Amino acid sequence: MEPTERIRVVIAKPGLDGHDRGVKIVARALRDAGMEVVYMGLHQTPEQIVHGAIQEDVQAIGLSILSGAHMTLFARVLELLREQDAADIKVFGGGIIPDEDIPELDRLGVAKVFTPGATTQEIVEWVRGAIPARV
């Protein structure tokens, strides 16, 4: 049997935010679309997320942030990826993120920000188009 190409993604909830229903729906949608999803759960530090992503050899990290700490948390994850020579891992995310913060997140290197109302199909299609699968 030949190995198949797959997209591997870590999905995590950084910080103190305790609401995880939406992130679990996204994780399941990605899994149902054929991706390998590692759900790290609630209350993860940026260090735990980056360590897990490197250990799991993923191509992307998806963050769900509803707490308002998105600027700090996205920036720290991206900084740690650069420090670990893992900047090739794309970071995307969503949550309650004001439109006026999105340009700065883009500048920091966040590949995509999904705001409330984004469908799971939009997220799946973006991941498939932006993240190359590998064996």
Side-chain angles (χ1 to χ4, degrees):
M1 178 184 240
E2 289 187 34
T4 58
E5 290 187 347
R6 290 188 99 170
I7 298 171
R8 292 177 52 90
V9 182
V10 155
I11 300 292
K13 291 284 295 181
L16 299 176
D17 181 4
H19 185 286
D20 65 349
R21 184 175 186 158
V23 73
K24 286 179 177 176
I25 290 169
V26 170
R28 183 172 182 155
L30 295 173
R31 187 202 65 201
D32 289 351
M35 298 172 208
E36 190 169 338
V37 177
V38 178
Y39 176 61
M40 294 187 65
L42 293 168
H43 310 301
Q44 299 297 300
T45 66
E47 290 79 7
Q48 290 170 316
I49 294 165
V50 169
H51 178 77
I54 292 168
Q55 289 299 308
E56 294 290 341
D57 193 29
V58 300
Q59 295 107 300
I61 297 171
L63 302 177
S64 172
I65 305 172
L66 303 174
S67 65
H70 50 276
M71 299 304 287
T72 302
L73 293 168
F74 275 115
R76 182 67 177 144
V77 167
L78 291 161
E79 176 186 18
L80 290 166
L81 287 170
R82 286 189 299 274
E83 288 175 5
Q84 297 294 319
D85 293 323
D88 60 316
I89 298 174
K90 289 190 179 184
V91 176
F92 68 97
I96 307 299
I97 299 171
D99 289 339
E100 58 268 16
D101 290 349
I102 295 173
E104 179 63 14
L105 291 169
D106 289 340
R107 190 191 68 71
L108 289 172
V110 177
K112 179 72 174 173
V113 175
F114 294 96
T115 55
T119 67
T120 54
Q121 187 61 36
E122 288 174 75
I123 297 167
V124 166
E125 288 174 5
W126 180 85
V127 172
R128 278 192 179 138
I131 311 299
R134 66 175 183 229
V135 176

